[in-house]
Amino acid sequence: MSTELSILTGAPTVGAAPFLVRPAESAADLAAYHRLRRESFVVEQGLFSGTDRDGVDDDPRAVVLLATAPDGTVLGGVRVAPCTDVDLGWWSGSRLVVAREKRSRAVGPALIRAACAHVETAGVVRFDATVQSRHVPMFTALGWTATGPTVLAGAPHETMRWTIDTVARLVRSTKAVLAGVLAPLATAPLGLGASGFRGDDGVPVPGSDIIAACDAIVPSMVERDPEWAGWCAALVNLNDLSAMGATPVGMLDAVGAPTTSLLTRVIRGLARAGDAWGVPVLGGHTQVGVPAALSVTALGRTSSPVRAGGGEVGDELSLTADLGGGWRPGYHVLQWDSTSARSGSDLREMGSFVARAAPRAAKDVSMAGLAGTVGMLAEASGTGAEIDVARIPRPGGADLGRWITCFPGFAMITADRPGRRLPPAGPATSAACGRLTSEPGVTLRWPDGATTSAVSAAVTGLGPA
């Protein structure tokens, strides 16, 4: 290192990191981990007789994380695995062990942090652990919350939970600013819509049976995948009309692009969507030689618009979603493409679902994901909401954590009196999966009866419609 650089960076350091945390990669890795467990839990502590092995060790979904020294010696490990036969995004950590002769304050906490990071990366929504009472202070210092005492293998333990705020972060990043930034519009007569429709997917045009909806596509998506952007510009607006129970009659577009080639591809995607749904683009604004931009306004008609804010405490929440398709290439775990391969008749039948169901309240699941959208419907209705995790309809190719935070293609959340039957929705699947409550925010109910918070308060801040 030169003298000039050493002044800025300091003298070179020599020596390897004391240990590395990584997933177990071989049978030898697992054997070393199991030896540590037996030495600690069977021989040293006497918690188990003969072996501490259990069914989790045989679960192919279980992941073992190891702390290894520079020479490859396994210093400790922990396993994480789903808690249910069908993975609902509820996982637990267990069998945390550190080698007796190598114990330090660093290895155990590092393994715990790695386990938390691993499950969050995997889309897990709830993460629990059952911890020996003497280790509770370590977990608490790392941000875990105790949920109750229990006894395991005859020894006092504490059940603990690591808070995963994926839904809350999504809500903050997409919807939390709305009340503040839109405040100047709310002061005008009919600002942000007529009474009862504030915060809705579309807005009734005063003095008519016309419903208008407007959405823009982020410029990076227009540049990266222009034909898909054109398709989605129609999709999101037509979904908004669908949520209001309106029949679409036409669209207006505003498109800008730096090149004629990009502009043509955007228009091609929009035209394909218009043909698929049978909804024409009536006009708009087109410009080349400018930064990429795309927005669409869709117009529909209904004499009985369905409000997002029409729900009441005790109403049953149902999700109607198209579970076909798969993750959009380039947008894995972010966008589920269930519509681009559907026939026009399928798209139109799904689009008419809300009008035929005529529920008390409805909302299109979009940027804020399922949980965030439920929060917006509840906020507009002046209620809270509880979602039954095990009853959420979802595709086989999407884990629950990703499914409730992605853009799902076609998905409608409706609220109505309990037990009311829903009409067919073409290829889409409907299931009751929650209820509106008197407590603000959105909670998730799990198969063991426990609840966790997904959204602690209002989503947009706009308040009841």
Side-chain angles (χ1 to χ4, degrees), residues 209-235:
D209 64 352
I210 298 293
I211 305 295
C214 181
D215 267 303
I217 302 298
V218 295
S220 61
M221 182 174 167
V222 180
E223 294 170 347
R224 179 183 181 184
D225 200 351
E227 292 190 37
W228 175 242
W231 176 274
C232 286
L235 167 66

Side-chain angles (χ1 to χ4, degrees), residues 47 128-134 136 146-160:
L47 294 175
D128 295 337
T130 301
V131 177
Q132 291 187 43
S133 298
R134 61 195 176 98
V136 168
T147 58
T150 188
V151 175
L152 181 64
H157 284 66
E158 188 84 20
T159 57
M160 304 199 75

Side-chain angles (χ1 to χ4, degrees), residues 24 29-31 33-35 37-38 41-42 48 51-66 77-82 92-97:
D29 281 344
L30 292 176
Y33 170 59
H34 288 137
R35 281 195 299 272
R37 281 172 37 181
R38 189 176 189 285
F41 302 132
V42 178
F48 303 95
T51 181
D52 72 321
R53 301 283 190 100
D54 62 12
V56 177
D57 292 311
D58 299 322
D59 189 337
R61 302 171 299 174
V63 175
V64 173
L65 301 174
L66 302 177
V78 66
R79 67 184 186 185
V80 294
S92 66
S94 57
R95 298 297 195 269
L96 172 67
V97 64

Side-chain angles (χ1 to χ4, degrees), residues 43 84 103 116 130 140 153 224 242 260 354 364 372-373 378 417 422:
V43 177
T84 51
R103 261 181 209 151
C116 295
T130 301
T140 301
R224 179 183 181 184
S242 175
T260 302
V354 172
D364 161 45
T373 301
R417 61 182 181 272
L422 295 172

Side-chain angles (χ1 to χ4, degrees), residues 219-220 222-223 254-264 266 285-295:
S220 61
V222 180
E223 294 170 347
V255 189
T259 66
T260 302
S261 174
L262 185 67
L263 183 65
T264 301
V266 173
H285 176 79
T286 308
Q287 191 170 358
V288 70
V290 297
L294 172 61
S295 64

